[in-house]
Amino acid sequence: MEKIKIELDYKCFPVWIYNDNNELETNDLPEYLIGDETIDYIFVEIQKTYDNLFVDNNLVSGIL
């Protein structure tokens, strides 16, 4: 059985789908929710809010 996780990560869609071997299959809505404009909008807005908690200053691993 696949696992669907809601996990916030900077500039990534917050829905993560894993297969039976716990390997990442996709970072998107499951097929049965694709096209659901309401749920997609909600996740996009959640991700925008999360991304706005950070400043994108092009630093890599804190190295100047």
Side-chain angles (χ1 to χ4, degrees):
M1 171 182 265
E2 69 181 8
K3 290 183 198 174
I4 300 173
K5 295 182 180 182
I6 299 170
E7 187 174 328
L8 297 171
D9 198 359
Y10 185 64
K11 292 194 176 185
C12 293
F13 194 72
V15 179
W16 303 77
I17 302 174
Y18 294 85
N19 64 20
D20 293 336
N21 296 322
N22 210 29
E23 298 165 327
L24 180 65
E25 285 186 358
T26 187
N27 176 233
D28 201 355
L29 288 174
E31 288 182 22
Y32 56 88
L33 289 177
I34 291 177
D36 185 321
E37 293 177 16
T38 302
I39 198 91
D40 186 55
Y41 174 79
I42 290 168
F43 279 121
V44 168
E45 290 302 309
I46 289 170
Q47 190 59 46
K48 282 181 189 177
T49 301
Y50 182 77
D51 288 346
N52 285 328
L53 297 173
F54 301 90
V55 175
D56 187 354
N57 54 12
N58 294 321
L59 292 179
V60 178
S61 301
I63 300 171
L64 295 174

